[in-house]
Amino acid sequence: MIRIENVSFRHGPTNILHDISLTIPKGGITALVGPNGAGKSSLLSLISRLQTLQEGSITIDGLPVDTTPNRQLAKVIAILRQDSIVASRLRVHELVGFGRFPHGRGRLTEEDRAIVGQSLQQFDLADLADRFIETLSGGQRQRALVAMAFCQGTDYLLLDEPLNNLDMYYARELMRSLRAIADEKGKTIVIVLHDINQAGAYADRIVAMKDGRLIADGAPAELLNTDILESVFGFRMPVEVVDGKPVALHFR
Ligand SMILES: Nc1ncnc2c1ncn2[C@@H]1O[C@H](COP(=O)(O)OP(=O)(O)OP(=O)(O)O)[C@@H](O)[C@H]1O
Ligand SMILES: [Mg+2]
């Protein structure tokens, strides 16, 4: 369980997050949605300690993120950042293998290599394993970064806009893979999505943020509601149910 209690955060004089309290139970997919600048990435970077907690507390399975040693935390939680920059003179399998670093400090065991192989398969990268990152398309690189985070083998996976650059086929594949690893492997996935309909189709729960505050939280069927979506995104959109899933017609 990720327990966030009374977390506030500022950059200089600017308040970025205001008194956030949120509990994310173990298992399943929680989608974090909200307009640009809402504070989604800031919240994920505090959970994963990419940024230092200033106020409030965050624990993951009871481990306080501000005092748990890095190596221990890295075995529990992995993050794909929104703005990942990777060295381009690196082959795809080497990048994915970096995910194993917390387990062996760089020397890959046979088991590590097997996990790298599985991750490459899982994200359809086997044919690209020996390619240099700089030669990949944007979407292929994005998949390699997701595979690296997955390869870390943690119970908690935080993904900040992993669908960036993915075509419809791979966006669907990635969401289906995430659904499968949540359902079959009991992983807990927190994912920032801009496509509200992907959140509606694949998440168990949607948490909406705006202006550094949590403003709505519920199952997709509750959250995909014209009034709620207006309060989050600032315009009205009809919502229809297709194949049992709520679909927001945001282009109307
Ligand atoms: N280093 C920084 N210095 C000052 N302000 C910052 C800094 N980093 C982020 N912010 C501000 O914090 C607010 C929240 O940013 P954050 O990146 O968390 O938003 P977000 O919800 O992830 O948005 P997006 O959908 O655009 O990725 C924004 O107003 C942003 O300008
Ligand atoms: Mg962001």
Side-chain angles (χ1 to χ4, degrees), residues 36-37 39-42 82 160-161 192 194:
N36 293 142
K40 306 177 297 295
S41 297
S42 302
Q82 184 175 353
D160 198 346
E161 300 193 30
V192 177
H194 279 301

Coordinates of all heavy atoms in Angstrom, one line a residue, residues 36-37 39-42 82 160-161 192 194, ligand 2:
N36 N -2.4 19.8 -17.7 CA -1.0 20.1 -17.6 C -0.7 21.0 -16.4 O -1.5 22.0 -16.1 CB -0.5 20.9 -18.9 CG -0.5 20.0 -20.1 OD1 -0.9 20.5 -21.2 ND2 -0.2 18.8 -20.0
G37 N 0.3 20.7 -15.7 CA 0.7 21.5 -14.5 C -0.1 21.2 -13.3 O 0.1 21.9 -12.2
G39 N 0.3 18.8 -11.2 CA 1.1 18.3 -10.1 C 1.2 16.8 -10.1 O 1.8 16.2 -9.2
K40 N 0.8 16.1 -11.2 CA 0.9 14.7 -11.3 C 2.3 14.2 -11.2 O 2.7 13.3 -10.4 CB 0.3 14.2 -12.6 CG -1.2 14.7 -12.8 CD -1.7 14.3 -14.2 CE -1.0 14.8 -15.4 NZ -1.1 16.3 -15.6
S41 N 3.2 14.7 -12.1 CA 4.6 14.3 -12.0 C 5.3 14.6 -10.7 O 6.1 13.9 -10.2 CB 5.4 15.0 -13.2 OG 4.9 14.6 -14.4
S42 N 4.9 15.8 -10.2 CA 5.5 16.1 -8.9 C 5.1 15.1 -7.8 O 6.0 14.7 -7.0 CB 5.0 17.5 -8.4 OG 5.3 18.5 -9.4
Q82 N 8.6 11.1 -16.9 CA 8.0 11.7 -18.1 C 9.1 12.2 -19.0 O 9.0 12.1 -20.2 CB 7.2 12.9 -17.7 CG 6.4 13.6 -18.8 CD 5.5 14.6 -18.3 OE1 5.3 14.8 -17.1 NE2 4.9 15.4 -19.2
D160 N 4.9 7.6 -15.7 CA 4.5 8.9 -16.0 C 4.3 9.1 -17.5 O 5.3 9.2 -18.2 CB 5.5 9.9 -15.4 CG 4.9 11.3 -15.3 OD1 3.8 11.6 -15.9 OD2 5.5 12.1 -14.6
E161 N 3.1 9.0 -18.0 CA 2.8 9.2 -19.4 C 3.5 8.2 -20.3 O 4.2 8.5 -21.3 CB 3.0 10.6 -19.9 CG 2.2 11.6 -19.1 CD 2.2 13.0 -19.8 OE1 2.3 13.0 -21.0 OE2 2.1 14.0 -19.1
V192 N 0.2 7.8 -15.1 CA -0.3 9.1 -15.5 C -0.8 9.0 -16.9 O 0.0 8.5 -17.8 CB 0.7 10.2 -15.4 CG1 0.2 11.5 -15.9 CG2 1.2 10.4 -13.9
H194 N -3.1 10.9 -20.2 CA -3.9 12.1 -20.6 C -5.1 11.6 -21.4 O -6.1 12.4 -21.5 CB -3.0 13.0 -21.5 CG -2.2 13.9 -20.7 ND1 -2.7 14.8 -19.8 CD2 -0.8 14.0 -20.6 CE1 -1.7 15.4 -19.2 NE2 -0.6 15.0 -19.7
Ligands
MG2 MG 3.8 15.5 -15.8

